[in-house]
């Protein structure tokens, strides 16, 4: 059965995107580089959660980027806004229903591993999800995927190879590591960061993992990149603010946009 949301979008555009890109902090301007076919605000879509986070606009942009059919999510929704993991999963399934086969996720994250520095890009090669509710809790919808999906290659191997190659070719330094999602919205304490470090997490954030799990479940290929907007609490003796995240994200924005565009071109 077609969801109300799919029906609403299909009445506006019959464009079929192959690639979806969820734009994290600092990447919103990528939207200006798409030749748009349609723009649809989340608030106009029936039962669609709306973004309340600062600098997250809240619309789908359908169009061509580097010759590929894409849909951008300019603005994502987070658990800390009061949405459930299931509501976030439904957005990923909507992308699947629209025809998407590849999902590129981006975010701003706090660096835990001291080999990372502010402004670095980190390819997410694995994640830790045990601090959030799984988006797959509840009756399984077999139309989307299996009850117990394998997560051994949550971030697609070939896509990881391609992303590394693209970064290397374009002289963009790309580190790699494990990302852990917490619910937020408060930043972590120094003790929490020590714990996450002991668990082998390299970077921490408040998004992406829920989206990845839902995407892997329904058979999308996932690639994800963090921009290290700050070192996590307690790594160095410096208080954190949401503003620092925004400033670092804006500074890294042009390089981040270039990296994503080159990835799309190479796909
Ligand atoms: N912690 C959690 N989420 C974040 C951080 C952080 O330090 N930086 C950007 N998003």
């Amino acid at each position: 059965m077609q969801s109300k949301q799919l029906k609403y979008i299909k009445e506006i555009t019959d464009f079929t995107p192959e690639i979806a890109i969820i734009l994290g902090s600092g990447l919103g301007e990528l939207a200006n580089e798409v030749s748009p076919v349609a723009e649809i605000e989340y608030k106009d879509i029936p039962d669609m959660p709306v973004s309340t986070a600062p600098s997250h606009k809240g619309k789908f942009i359908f169009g061509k980027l580097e010759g590929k059919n894409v849909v951008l999510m300019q603005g994502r929704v987070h658990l800390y806004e009061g949405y459930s993991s299931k509501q976030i999963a439904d957005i990923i399934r909507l992308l699947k229903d629209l025809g998407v086969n590849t999902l590129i996720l981006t975010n701003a994250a706090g660096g835990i591993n001291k080999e990372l520095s502010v402004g670095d890009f980190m390819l997410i090669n694995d994640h830790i999800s045990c601090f959030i509710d799984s988006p797959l809790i509840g009756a399984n919808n077999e139309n989307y995927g299996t009850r117990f999906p394998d997560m051994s290659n949550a971030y697609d191997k070939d896509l990881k190879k391609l992303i590394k190659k693209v970064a290397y070719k374009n002289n963009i330094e790309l580190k790699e590591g494990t990302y852990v999602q917490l619910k937020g919205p408060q930043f972590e304490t120094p003790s929490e960061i020590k714990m996450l470090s002991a668990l082998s997490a390299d970077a921490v954030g408040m998004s992406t993992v829920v989206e990845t799990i839902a995407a892997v479940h329904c058979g999308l290929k996932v690639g994800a990149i963090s921009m290290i907007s700050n070192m996590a609490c307690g790594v160095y003796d410096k208080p954190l603010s949401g503003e620092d995240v925004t400033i670092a994200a804006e500074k890294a924005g042009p390089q981040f946009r270039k990296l994503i565009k080159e990835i799309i071109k190479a796909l």
Side-chain angles (χ1 to χ4, degrees):
M1 199 190 68
Q2 241 192 6
S3 72
K4 274 195 273 186
Q5 295 162 342
L6 183 65
K7 188 163 172 281
Y8 179 84
I9 293 172
K10 287 284 183 196
E11 275 167 12
I12 296 173
T13 179
D14 60 2
F15 183 82
T16 304
E18 307 159 60
I19 304 165
I21 310 165
I22 302 190
L23 304 178
S25 310
L27 260 187
E29 284 179 35
L30 192 68
N32 302 336
E33 309 200 25
V34 170
S35 319
V37 170
E39 294 193 9
I40 305 176
E41 293 200 30
Y42 304 159
K43 69 174 171 47
D44 296 330
I45 303 174
D47 299 333
M48 175 83 186
V50 296
S51 324
T52 63
S55 82
H56 285 256
K57 280 208 172 125
K59 62 179 170 182
F60 286 113
I61 300 162
F62 295 87
K64 290 266 185 195
L65 180 65
E66 299 293 344
K68 306 281 162 55
N69 280 12
V70 303
V71 55
L72 304 190
M73 285 188 71
Q74 194 183 28
R76 56 153 51 92
V77 297
H78 302 84
L79 297 175
Y80 65 73
E81 293 171 90
Y83 300 116
S84 66
S85 292
K86 165 81 171 60
Q87 281 174 296
I88 295 170
D90 286 342
I91 299 173
I92 302 298
R93 292 173 184 159
L94 176 61
L95 296 174
K96 167 90 181 176
D97 291 343
L98 285 164
V100 167
N101 54 49
T102 303
L103 177 64
I104 306 290
L105 297 167
T106 64
N107 63 46
I112 297 174
N113 186 329
K114 282 190 173 165
E115 285 179 23
L116 295 166
S117 321
V118 172
D120 277 353
F121 299 118
M122 185 190 91
L123 178 67
I124 299 180
N125 58 25
D126 201 1
H127 70 221
I128 295 173
S129 73
C130 50
F131 300 103
I132 51 171
D133 288 335
S134 168
L136 307 180
I137 287 173
N140 185 49
N141 185 337
E142 291 287 331
N143 294 327
Y144 286 107
T146 178
R147 172 77 287 186
F148 301 111
D150 178 32
M151 290 287 145
S152 43
N153 284 301
Y155 301 87
D156 186 75
K157 262 192 192 151
D158 294 336
L159 201 45
K160 282 198 275 199
K161 256 194 221 157
L162 178 141
I163 293 172
K164 284 199 252 186
K165 206 163 128 189
V166 166
Y168 181 76
K169 264 194 175 169
N170 287 279
N171 266 325
I172 298 174
E173 196 188 358
L174 185 63
K175 299 196 171 159
E176 268 184 73
T178 297
Y179 176 94
V180 58
Q181 178 177 355
L182 266 61
K183 289 180 192 162
Q186 74 283 0
F187 288 118
E188 303 71 33
T189 63
S191 299
E192 285 165 343
I193 293 299
K194 260 192 220 155
M195 170 192 72
L196 296 171
S197 175
L199 295 178
S200 82
D202 297 298
V204 59
M206 303 176 194
S207 67
T208 302
V209 175
V210 169
E211 294 151 356
T212 297
I213 294 171
V216 171
H217 176 250
C218 69
L220 300 183
K221 279 191 200 166
V222 180
I225 301 172
S226 292
M227 192 282 294
I228 304 302
S229 57
N230 57 281
M231 291 310 287
C233 180
V235 174
Y236 301 117
D237 187 18
K238 187 177 179 292
L240 301 187
S241 79
E243 213 187 2
D244 289 346
V245 173
T246 311
I247 292 169
E250 274 170 13
K251 205 164 151 206
Q255 269 292 77
F256 208 177
R257 294 197 287 277
K258 174 160 170 64
L259 178 58
I260 300 298
K261 276 200 308 187
E262 294 293 336
I263 293 167
I264 302 303
K265 200 198 273 183
L267 272 171

